[in-house]
Amino acid sequence: MSSVPKRAKLDGAPADGNTAASASAAAGNNEEESEALEQIDACQNEIDALNEKASEEILKVEQKYNKLRKPCYEKRSELVKRIPNFWVTSFINHPQVSGILDEEEEECLHALNKLEVEEFEDIKSGYRINFHFDENPYFENKVLTKEFHLNSAAASENGDWPASTSTPINWKEGKNLLKQLLTKPYVNKKKRHSEYKTFFDWFSDNTDPVNDEIAELIKDDLWPNPLQYYLVPDIEVEPEDEEDNDDNEEETFEDEDGEDGDGDEDDEDEDDK
């Protein structure tokens, strides 16, 4: 019996009908998936466009209310001048800002009569913090300003951004706190975990304007509502040093030993009687 000759398999041709059907189904699935991905991408573009529009609208609202808040801030500043040491007290009571204050700096900041935060008109490009001072024995400046340029729209004078700048401090002779305090060991326990050793160290440092935590705290927390920190009751108790605890424990043991000794003597006296 003669057999029917098999046809030679062409390169790339499926081996049987099932494989051909699977390939056809896979191709169909790929087309559906591609079409779905294109539609998802189109939806995402619409979402992004709406988000961008929302950001623009929110920015306009912020700009509007910044102008409305300005007279209130100015009125508050005038009222604050009637309260001695308002700003330095608010700084000392702030849990983070107080961590970079040295005692001598606190004395210097008693001359701080006005704090002012000014956002640039478009808000997102940057801001400045103005510290206004009365005549004081430490420096000649009446105003110290730290300014932040956070995008190209507010690039600094040399064109760099992000960047920050600080007013050079004209220290009076022998009163350069920055030089004096940077050579001192840590006294304030909170500073041991702080990036900055002193307040004027922070003010003069411009190495990382994007991650300036102290500036953000002043702008977003202290400046909007300083009253909450001025009125904070001073009830926080500093933890005692381990050495102090050891001394107290030794004294306690000595007292107990003394009491036991006296008790033994009393017992002996009673026995003799």
Side-chain angles (χ1 to χ4, degrees), residues 186-201:
Y186 285 108
V187 177
N188 188 336
K189 295 176 183 178
K190 295 180 182 179
K191 291 182 189 174
R192 295 173 184 171
H193 305 292
S194 173
E195 180 181 356
Y196 304 105
K197 197 170 184 180
T198 72
F199 175 82
F200 289 109
D201 177 28

Side-chain angles (χ1 to χ4, degrees), residues 57-67 69 123:
E57 294 296 326
I58 292 170
L59 194 60
K60 290 178 182 178
V61 172
E62 282 293 324
Q63 290 171 328
K64 173 185 175 182
Y65 280 92
N66 268 359
K67 292 178 180 178
R69 282 190 289 259
I123 298 178

Side-chain angles (χ1 to χ4, degrees), residues 15-259:
D16 53 39
N18 291 335
T19 305
S22 298
S24 177
N29 290 336
N30 287 337
E31 289 180 3
E32 290 181 9
E33 186 176 319
S34 298
E35 185 178 351
L37 288 173
E38 289 178 3
Q39 292 176 358
I40 292 172
D41 185 55
C43 287
Q44 192 61 51
N45 289 335
E46 290 181 21
I47 293 170
D48 292 342
L50 288 172
N51 288 340
E52 186 174 349
K53 186 176 180 181
S55 297
E56 293 173 357
E57 294 296 326
I58 292 170
L59 194 60
K60 290 178 182 178
V61 172
E62 282 293 324
Q63 290 171 328
K64 173 185 175 182
Y65 280 92
N66 268 359
K67 292 178 180 178
L68 293 174
R69 282 190 289 259
K70 190 171 182 180
C72 296
Y73 284 138
E74 292 174 350
K75 181 179 180 181
R76 186 185 71 183
S77 293
E78 291 303 315
L79 292 171
V80 161
K81 290 181 181 180
R82 294 160 53 181
I83 303 176
N85 305 322
F86 178 89
W87 285 111
V88 68
T89 302
S90 300
F91 278 32
I92 292 170
N93 288 341
H94 193 284
Q96 284 81 36
V97 176
S98 62
I100 62 168
L101 288 178
D102 188 90
E103 289 184 7
E104 290 188 60
E105 290 181 319
E106 290 179 16
E107 288 297 320
C108 177
L109 291 176
H110 276 75
L112 179 63
N113 62 57
K114 181 180 179 181
L115 173 69
E116 184 180 29
V117 175
E118 296 179 331
E119 290 184 302
F120 295 164
E121 188 173 353
D122 68 349
I123 298 178
K124 59 185 179 181
S125 61
Y127 60 95
R128 65 179 61 89
I129 305 174
N130 298 318
F131 301 89
H132 298 256
F133 288 87
D134 293 326
E135 180 69 28
N136 65 83
Y138 295 93
F139 47 77
E140 303 288 349
N141 309 72
K142 297 298 182 185
V143 182
L144 296 178
T145 300
K146 192 171 179 72
E147 191 165 302
F148 293 83
H149 307 267
L150 302 180
N151 64 33
S152 58
S156 59
E157 293 180 359
N158 60 9
D160 292 338
W161 63 274
S164 63
T165 58
S166 304
T167 303
I169 303 175
N170 299 322
W171 298 103
K172 293 182 179 180
E173 186 176 356
K175 294 293 185 178
N176 189 332
L177 295 180
L178 182 59
K179 182 183 295 185
Q180 295 172 11
L181 296 177
L182 287 179
T183 59
K184 286 177 59 176
Y186 285 108
V187 177
N188 188 336
K189 295 176 183 178
K190 295 180 182 179
K191 291 182 189 174
R192 295 173 184 171
H193 305 292
S194 173
E195 180 181 356
Y196 304 105
K197 197 170 184 180
T198 72
F199 175 82
F200 289 109
D201 177 28
W202 161 76
F203 179 82
S204 303
D205 182 84
N206 293 295
T207 56
D208 191 7
V210 174
N211 298 308
D212 194 323
E213 182 184 357
I214 299 298
E216 291 177 359
L217 285 168
I218 292 174
K219 179 175 75 77
D220 298 329
D221 187 26
L222 187 60
W223 165 248
N225 186 6
L227 190 62
Q228 63 178 321
Y229 295 108
Y230 178 79
L231 297 175
V232 167
D234 188 14
I235 59 175
E236 184 176 346
V237 179
E238 289 288 338
E240 295 181 351
D241 291 332
E242 292 182 1
E243 294 179 0
D244 294 339
N245 289 334
D246 293 341
D247 293 340
N248 291 337
E249 290 177 0
E250 291 176 3
E251 291 176 3
T252 302
F253 288 138
E254 289 175 1
D255 292 341
E256 291 177 352
D257 291 342
E259 291 175 358

Side-chain angles (χ1 to χ4, degrees), residues 3-15:
S3 60
V4 178
K6 296 181 180 179
R7 279 187 294 180
K9 177 183 170 185
L10 298 176
D11 291 340

